[in-house]
Amino acid sequence: MLNVGVIGTGMIGQDHIRRMTGVLSGVRVVAVADVNPILAAEVGARTGATVHAAGEELIADPAVDAVVVCSWGPTHEQYVLASIAAGKPVFCEKPLATTQEACLRIVAAEAAHGSRLVQVGFMRRYDAAYRALKRVADAGDIGMPLMMHCAHRNPLVPDSYSSQSAIVDTAVHEIDMVRWMFGEEIAAARVLIPRKSRNGGPLQDPLLLILEMAGGALVDVEISVNIRYGYDIRGEIVGENGTAALREQSPVSVRREGRLTTPVPADWRERFILAYDTEFQEWINSIADGGPPVGPSAWDGYAAAVVCDAGVEALHSGRRMDVSLAEQPALYRSAEVTR
Ligand code: NAD
Ligand code: ISE
């Protein structure tokens, strides 16, 4: 049984606690911490987990075998570094850290430790539809992939969300997904700015992010975060001899009163519920016997941060920005961009 401590008991922290306590096997949530002590106490009382006053205290708790970080992005670095220093496996929700320099500090600390401890919460790699799409692309069924069209649509976002968030908080999922899907790095980023939606107030929404893969394929990502009708994630690969696309997610369609309808998920929790389950079960299984995590690595978190920075720069400057990564430590060389 893997004993896990969760830092950050907000929206996704509680969702992961729910799956680790009620859905998955081989895991127990034994400790929680949140800067909001009332929230932490409430979650602790509901789950029977020990409530720690600080994340560092939770990491040091001998009852905690592995750490899950679900706090706000700017706090991730400190908890991931403390987990590495304690020699404990750590699952960190995206982003790994909010700057590429902070991600590199994590990469350096893990490389100095000598084996992998960190996994980053890029859950799309665990989604059945994305996995099926990758199998088709890898099998060569549609010939060489030339382009991929993606859409990442949220029904609405909070006032704190900026156009920069559209890249670093939202499109970061596509950025990781295409590195994994194509099995290669992203070489450059551009952002095109279309007419502004009136749903987002002052926010420039939508955006069109264009990514150039190292092998020459092009990826376009429509990021629309106030589209109202639901949470809609799309992806289609255009190959030399055919195309392959994610299907509509709903298992049911309804014909009624002259209309054919399928429901659209309300949010990311609903759309990716099974992907998160698979992501966590595979993480638990990989580390339960003391093995390293095999999912998205600290290097993947760093690479995504570098592309995000290029995307933000492209957004502000209107220019095409090259992506340039630091030298990869040997620890990550055997780990594939794909898994
Ligand atoms: P949230 O605001 O609902 O919850 C975050 C919690 O962290 C809050 O309860 C807050 O009090 C707590 N917190 C903040 N600083 C802390 C600190 N220093 N120590 C301990 N607790 C602290 O936010 P959320 O939507 O749950 O997002 C949390 C993280 O998960 C973010 O990094 C976000 O990007 C990521 N996320 C990932 C996905 C995904 O699809 N993989 C979806 C949503 C959110
Ligand atoms: C959120 O943080 C997520 O990670 C969701 O998956 C994404 O769809 C949403 O846009 C982000 O705000």
Side-chain angles (χ1 to χ4, degrees), residues 112-196:
H113 172 78
S115 63
R116 278 196 58 191
L117 288 172
V118 180
Q119 179 163 325
V120 184
F122 289 129
M123 76 297 187
R124 296 210 179 169
R125 300 182 186 211
Y126 300 88
D127 179 64
Y130 274 113
R131 284 184 164 184
L133 184 59
K134 182 165 169 53
R135 277 196 297 276
V136 171
D138 288 350
D141 295 353
I142 57 170
M144 187 169 59
L146 308 173
M147 293 187 286
M148 183 165 184
H149 305 302
C150 308
H152 190 149
R153 300 185 185 141
N154 287 217
L156 75 174
V157 288
D159 290 344
S160 57
Y161 190 99
S162 66
S163 49
Q164 178 164 326
S165 314
I167 311 281
V168 304
D169 189 43
T170 297
V172 65
H173 286 292
E174 273 78 13
I175 287 169
D176 177 70
M177 181 275 293
V178 294
R179 291 180 63 252
W180 164 78
M181 184 68 73
F182 285 77
E184 60 192 52
E185 295 295 350
I186 293 166
R190 264 178 279 192
V191 176
L192 301 180
I193 301 180
R195 194 201 315 230
K196 193 161 89 64

Side-chain angles (χ1 to χ4, degrees), residues 27 66 82-83 106-107 115 119 139 147-148 222 226 233 245 249 279 286 288 328-329:
V27 65
S83 301
I106 292 171
V107 162
S115 63
Q119 179 163 325
M147 293 187 286
M148 183 165 184
E222 172 208 316
N226 282 289
I233 300 298
Q249 288 299 303
E279 173 187 46
S286 67
Q328 192 181 46

Side-chain angles (χ1 to χ4, degrees), residues 57-298:
E57 207 178 271
L58 177 148
I59 293 165
D61 182 344
V64 170
D65 303 325
V67 180
V68 173
V69 178
C70 297
S71 49
W72 296 322
T75 68
H76 290 182
E77 178 189 10
Q78 75 192 74
Y79 295 135
V80 174
L81 287 176
S83 301
I84 295 171
K88 295 190 180 182
V90 52
F91 179 102
C92 180
E93 257 311 335
K94 45 72 50 175
L96 174 61
T98 44
T99 66
Q100 55 177 285
E101 292 76 17
C103 291
L104 264 188
R105 286 192 285 274
I106 292 171
V107 162
E110 192 179 42
H113 172 78
S115 63
R116 278 196 58 191
L117 288 172
V118 180
Q119 179 163 325
V120 184
F122 289 129
M123 76 297 187
R124 296 210 179 169
R125 300 182 186 211
Y126 300 88
D127 179 64
Y130 274 113
R131 284 184 164 184
L133 184 59
K134 182 165 169 53
R135 277 196 297 276
V136 171
D138 288 350
D141 295 353
I142 57 170
M144 187 169 59
L146 308 173
M147 293 187 286
M148 183 165 184
H149 305 302
C150 308
H152 190 149
R153 300 185 185 141
N154 287 217
L156 75 174
V157 288
D159 290 344
S160 57
Y161 190 99
S162 66
S163 49
Q164 178 164 326
S165 314
I167 311 281
V168 304
D169 189 43
T170 297
V172 65
H173 286 292
E174 273 78 13
I175 287 169
D176 177 70
M177 181 275 293
V178 294
R179 291 180 63 252
W180 164 78
M181 184 68 73
F182 285 77
E184 60 192 52
E185 295 295 350
I186 293 166
R190 264 178 279 192
V191 176
L192 301 180
I193 301 180
R195 194 201 315 230
K196 193 161 89 64
S197 162
R198 288 172 296 182
N199 289 341
L203 180 72
Q204 174 52 56
D205 173 45
L207 296 177
L208 194 62
L209 173 67
I210 315 281
L211 302 170
E212 294 176 26
M213 304 307 297
L218 282 185
V219 175
D220 57 273
V221 186
E222 172 208 316
I223 312 152
S224 295
V225 294
N226 282 289
I227 201 136
R228 298 295 187 258
Y229 73 84
Y231 183 78
D232 200 4
I233 300 298
R234 300 184 158 257
E236 180 186 36
I237 297 177
V238 179
E240 293 167 298
N241 309 320
T243 69
L246 302 174
R247 283 189 56 184
E248 295 296 335
Q249 288 299 303
S250 173
V252 66
S253 57
V254 176
R255 287 173 167 79
R256 188 171 163 266
E257 294 178 350
R259 291 180 187 278
L260 168 63
T261 58
T262 57
V264 177
D267 61 17
W268 39 268
R269 279 174 300 192
E270 184 182 343
R271 166 63 182 83
F272 287 109
I273 186 168
L274 296 178
Y276 294 117
D277 288 351
T278 306
E279 173 187 46
F280 268 81
Q281 192 64 67
E282 291 190 11
W283 176 66
I284 292 157
N285 296 348
S286 67
I287 63 171
D289 296 327
V294 293
S297 68

